[in-house]
Amino acid sequence: LQGHKLGSDILIAQAKDSRTYDTVVISKAADAMLAMSGIEASFVLAKNTQGFISISARSRSKLNVQRIMEELGGGGHFNLAAVQIKDLTLSEAGEKLTEIVLNEIKEKEKEEAEKLRAAVSTQWYDSPTYIASLGLFQGDSPFPGKAIAMNSLK
């Protein structure tokens, strides 16, 4: 198998086009790669004994490999999925997989950024500092010292 890393924690390994493997061997290779320290997801591509391209996908908890395999016509579970492809070569399947994984990473980063923005926004609006900065409390502030300090910044 030869492979590459996407980011710091995703491995994609591809067998030589001239070799065929049993699907159990392909799955075990994906399991072994996932067991490596610091790896979040692993993908193994190989030609199986029936002549199809098999991709076995594994993840720990951050990357939904089921969604990725579904885009290629397969399925599975959030952190364990696979696909068998008839109409692509091994290298074409590898390129398509890499593109889908990169898109999934971008989408995940976008979702995380939105969650962070929402969390920061919610924390700010609900915080005593924000409420005090509006000058809503004169005198008997439920947040002693904060309203005065924030009012002086206006």
Side-chain angles (χ1 to χ4, degrees):
L1 294 174
Q2 291 187 327
H4 61 280
K5 260 186 171 181
L6 293 179
S8 63
D9 58 358
I10 298 172
L11 294 177
I12 297 180
Q14 185 171 317
K16 291 185 179 182
D17 201 28
S18 59
R19 304 253 342 240
T20 60
Y21 295 89
D22 186 78
T23 53
V24 173
V25 172
I26 298 167
S27 316
K28 288 187 179 209
D31 290 338
M33 287 170 37
L34 186 64
M36 296 169 73
S37 178
I39 299 303
E40 172 56 36
S42 65
F43 298 86
V44 175
L45 298 91
K47 195 179 291 182
N48 66 28
T49 53
Q50 291 83 31
F52 303 131
I53 304 302
S54 284
I55 303 176
S56 189
R58 304 289 185 270
S59 75
R60 293 192 188 279
S61 63
K62 295 178 185 170
L63 191 66
N64 185 343
V65 295
Q66 175 187 358
R67 196 161 50 194
I68 294 167
M69 293 296 98
E70 284 176 351
E71 284 194 48
L72 292 165
H77 302 280
F78 185 94
N79 52 1
L80 187 148
V83 64
Q84 290 191 24
I85 303 171
K86 298 178 185 179
D87 58 348
L88 295 176
T89 67
L90 195 54
S91 61
E92 290 170 338
E95 289 171 14
K96 191 164 185 175
L97 173 66
T98 299
E99 180 183 320
I100 292 168
V101 172
L102 288 172
N103 286 337
E104 186 70 21
I105 292 168
K106 286 178 191 172
E107 193 61 35
K108 188 83 169 156
E109 288 171 351
K110 197 171 159 183
E111 289 171 10
E112 292 299 318
E114 286 299 318
K115 284 181 190 175
L116 183 60
R117 270 195 287 282
V120 168
S121 169
T122 300
Q123 289 172 0
W124 172 244
Y125 291 125
D126 291 344
S127 75
T129 304
Y130 176 71
I131 294 167
S133 74
L134 295 175
L136 299 177
F137 302 107
Q138 301 297 325
D140 294 336
S141 169
F143 314 108
K146 294 200 183 223
I148 296 165
M150 292 308 295
N151 283 335
S152 66
L153 293 177
K154 284 182 160 184

